[in-house]
Amino acid sequence: MNLTKILTVLFFVIAIGVGYLLYDGINSTIQEEKEIERVENRVKAKLEKIRAAQEAHLATYGDYADTWEKLISYVDTGKIYIIQRTEKITMLDYGAEKSEFFYDTVGEVSVKDSLFNPNYDPRQLPRLPHAPDKFFSLYAKDSVRNGVSVDYIEVVDTYPFDKTRSDDADIEQRRPLRFGSRTDITTAGNW
């Protein structure tokens, strides 16, 4: 065998090795992104459940549950009232209309049955889906703003699966998954 054939075989083997390393690097990045997306979708679904429970708590009691114990108790034993609204419109003599609204409670359903699976364990609500020993951060407070009582809520993933998410990120979508705000009256999520 001459030197050219040996070098050709050697370079061919090196090219195959480099090609495999490139393929493996790209494929592992793609798989990692898929795993991050899968876990974050589970976190978003849990945040949506917490938000629904908090909104029901607000509708029932007039404020958000400020501790996990209150929210868990509400989900476990609380009721959502079904209200029927009727409107009566009366024509006045001078051509205007007078509207009267009547509200009647026609029934109730349990929070657990209406917002969750009946077999759902409410004690799992504050736990992160990807780290069962870690919990969501819950902030709920009422305050007076411009003479009006307002309620603030914020629930944050305290242990993001995607390690590139940080609280000091300039882009809101790169911060840990959350809904609500400590300064604005919103329940919107950052996803």
Side-chain angles (χ1 to χ4, degrees), residues 23-89:
Y23 168 78
D24 187 52
I26 292 170
N27 190 43
S28 65
T29 302
I30 291 171
Q31 294 305 319
E32 183 179 318
E33 288 296 321
K34 285 181 181 178
E35 180 68 10
I36 288 172
E37 183 180 357
R38 184 187 65 76
V39 169
E40 286 191 347
N41 283 339
R42 289 177 49 211
V43 172
K44 290 173 194 174
K46 193 124 188 207
L47 283 169
E48 288 170 353
K49 286 181 180 182
I50 294 168
R51 180 173 51 194
Q54 285 283 16
E55 288 173 343
H57 190 278
L58 177 68
T60 302
Y61 296 113
D63 63 351
Y64 294 113
D66 58 352
T67 65
W68 287 115
E69 290 77 22
K70 286 182 185 177
L71 187 62
I72 290 168
S73 174
Y74 176 69
V75 168
D76 198 28
T77 61
K79 303 285 185 197
I80 296 176
Y81 298 100
I82 302 169
I83 309 288
Q84 179 181 10
R85 182 182 105 166
T86 55
E87 179 179 8
K88 178 182 173 187
I89 300 174

Side-chain angles (χ1 to χ4, degrees), residues 81-133:
Y81 298 100
I82 302 169
I83 309 288
Q84 179 181 10
R85 182 182 105 166
T86 55
E87 179 179 8
K88 178 182 173 187
I89 300 174
T90 308
M91 291 298 293
L92 300 175
D93 293 336
Y94 49 89
E97 295 178 348
K98 174 184 169 187
S99 296
E100 293 178 274
F101 297 98
F102 302 97
Y103 298 93
D104 187 24
T105 304
V106 294
E108 62 183 35
V109 293
S110 79
V111 174
K112 193 185 232 184
D113 291 341
S114 64
L115 298 179
F116 299 93
N117 181 337
N119 298 327
Y120 185 77
D121 182 9
R123 293 174 302 197
Q124 299 302 316
L125 206 56
R127 297 184 185 279
L128 293 173
H130 58 281
D133 57 331

